[in-house]
Amino acid sequence: MRFFAASALVLSALSAAPALADDGGIEADETRVMDAVAVLGTYLANEKFSGTKTQTLIIDVPQSLSVVTREQIAEQAFTDIGDVLRYTPGASVGQGEGHRDQITLRGQNSTADFFIDGLRDDVQYFRPLYNLDQIEILRGSNAMIFGRGGGGGVVNRVTKRPDFDGDSASLSVSADTFGEMSGSLDYNTALNETSAFRVNAFAESLNNHRDQFGGDRFAINPTFAAKLAPDTHLLLSYEFVDDDRVVDRGVPSDGSGAPLEGYDTFFFGSADQNRTTLQANIARARLDHRFSDTLSVNTTLQYADYDKVYQNIYAASYDMGANALTLDGYQDKTGRENVIFQTNLVSEFTMGGLAHTLLVGAEYADQASANSRNDNVFADTNDDQTIVALSRPLTLPDFAFSQPVRHRESDVQVLSFYAQDQIDLGQYFKLIAGVRFDRFGIDVNDIRNAARFSRTDEEISPRLGMIYKPVENVSVYASYSKSFLPRSGDQFLDLTDANSQLEPEEFDNQEIGIKWDIHPTLSLTAALFRLDRDTTERTADGEDSFVTTSQTEGFELQLGGQASARWRVDVGYSYLDSELADGSARSQVPTHMFSVWNRYDVSSQLGLGLGVTYQDEQFASASNAVTVPDFTRVDAGIFYTLRNGTALQLNVENLLDEDYYAAAHNDNNISPGAPLNARLTIRTAF
């Protein structure tokens, strides 16, 4: 609580600082250029299904958020979600067992709080970045806008759209010192005055510093846009993603509470059998219609089919005294079909002398999943585990993924209605109030155990925010939001006959903050928050009790934009104090995280970049027995544009060759970070 008091004083001091800013402010309808991690005074556009679903300036959103543009993705050579979040305050990255994106936002770990153009994208896989305009990371509970989950926040990817203004094409190729190579194409053509077509595609040959790692990934995303009438637009999109790679779960701990050293490149598994494959087909149709300048509606229908398989042998423990390694393994298959329908009506009007922006929406989702798991069986033990000597190379006994331990099918149906009103209360105050109703139903067929069970939850998720604007370019806000997670969990695999009687987990986020547009291209945001995760538990006598299972208190700070005509800077810092109910620290939540990225343009052709990320030590799992050490990593970039417009770019990751551990899944699956690595990129437009 002392931290809360100190942080409150910081926010108070910041709220007094606007006297240094331009009192002229920014007009409500002015759109600024989007640049870097923070979107500075830019709309989170309604047509991009942003975190507000309305045309609202960032300064008028009572919530901490970051937006990473495609320019920054390219400039820092980001290749996955994990790269992005390392430069995002309040966010950390999990190992994801080597086969998926796994994130922790405000102390809440998730494999499913991902969205694409505002629609759920919750299967476990590595999401590519080739076709994005921007990535929105919204922190705090977000059920009012996005529905269930999102207890600590969500990641929303916003895809590129066809441009009616003319033809364009760009090509990018890159290679790094580990031998990884990739190429991408972005082609747009205006077919006529009322229709346009765009296709984005990429291919990647995977490699890194780890022995035996490799794989291939490619994707293609054609989109078609048409103006059916002056006020009616249609967008059709299809994406295919194919990913085939080695599953690498890192190194075990050494038995003394630290990762095993000296094995940064050593592969603890089977190069042939540690494998994951994904094929995803995502089709979307969206219709936008504007009835007038103050009334519009948009409707989206999405069908997504995912086919995912992963299997692995991995280190379960290590005995340093005997130099012996315990190995385990399994195979997991998931198929999922998502059908999602969403519609939003946005109205701007004046009533009782107050200006309103009203959002009314509805969503229906049907998600059919099939999952099976086979344990590995080693020939020498006839069991899923065996003990082998740690040798180079690792000698594995014969094995097969042949012992069924799970086989279930589930059908999830969700019906949601929501409404939010943004009200201008005179010159200085704004009120944002919203509520969402979700009816979440799941039917489970546990085929292996010949059992069926189901659960239906009806939940109300509120959102309330108050904004005080002493001048146009400053907002001081306070907000409360709530979210919930059904007992079926992120991936619908946790529901049992026993817990099907229990209420969903709930997340309560309380937040105060300040947003200051220092000048039209530089913005500062600070936020202080508390997030409680509450769970219903059943006592021995059959009574239900509602208890707080974890609490995260924290502070976030970010500064982003053009500090001068030639210098752009993005700074992020977060302090997170996250504890479980028993007082132990929540795993994979570093207390302190800091990042800064600078871009300085020496001339119109030459630019230099320098970045630093710091991550505090963290526990690898809830046992609090193994600590992943803190680290500081330095990154750099050189950018040169030829006179014909071709851009040459050299990014160096881990410039000082820091020996570090990047992420963990548990006490014995810890990923060593990559040593110094250079990536050369050539980008041209034609």
Side-chain angles (χ1 to χ4, degrees), residues 348-402:
E348 299 176 18
F349 59 92
T350 299
M351 178 182 293
L354 302 178
H356 295 255
T357 300
L358 178 66
L359 163 71
V360 178
E363 183 173 285
Y364 171 79
D366 189 303
Q367 299 184 260
S369 303
N371 175 267
S372 63
R373 174 167 290 193
N374 292 328
D375 259 354
N376 171 70
V377 177
F378 288 103
D380 62 337
T381 61
N382 197 34
D383 188 56
D384 64 340
Q385 291 192 344
T386 191
I387 299 176
V388 300
L390 178 51
S391 60
R392 299 177 186 262
L394 193 64
T395 301
L396 300 179
D398 292 338
F399 63 88
F401 301 107
S402 57

Side-chain angles (χ1 to χ4, degrees), residues 120-121 123 125 238-241 278-283 302-308 334-339 368:
R120 196 169 291 275
D121 176 41
V123 168
Y125 71 106
Y238 167 72
E239 182 179 18
F240 175 75
V241 181
L278 167 92
Q279 287 192 336
N281 294 271
I282 305 170
Q302 175 176 288
Y303 170 80
D305 176 78
Y306 307 88
D307 187 4
K308 170 74 180 291
T334 297
R336 182 170 300 161
E337 290 186 63
N338 289 349
V339 177

Side-chain angles (χ1 to χ4, degrees), residues 147-162:
R148 72 180 187 277
V154 301
V155 175
N156 181 41
R157 294 180 295 148
V158 179
T159 58
K160 298 176 184 177
R161 293 188 169 197

Side-chain angles (χ1 to χ4, degrees), residues 489-501:
D490 274 353
Q491 300 297 329
F492 317 133
L493 296 175
D494 296 343
L495 196 68
T496 64
D497 191 42
N499 69 15
S500 65
Q501 305 303 310

Side-chain angles (χ1 to χ4, degrees), residues 19 29 46 56 73 153 162 235-236 241 367 390 409-410 413 437 514 556 571 574 585 617 641:
D29 60 352
N46 179 49
T56 305
I73 291 171
L235 181 71
L236 302 176
V241 181
Q367 299 184 260
L390 178 51
E409 297 175 347
S410 65
Q413 292 188 330
F437 168 80
I514 182 170
E556 295 169 354
V571 182
S574 61
E617 65 181 22
T641 304

Side-chain angles (χ1 to χ4, degrees), residues 3 77 114-115 137 178 237 269 356 360 374 389-390 418 444 476 488 565 607 648 660 662 685:
F3 171 75
F114 299 96
F115 294 78
I137 304 104
F178 297 133
S237 172
H356 295 255
V360 178
N374 292 328
L390 178 51
Y418 48 91
V444 176
V476 180
S488 49
L648 306 179
Y660 72 101

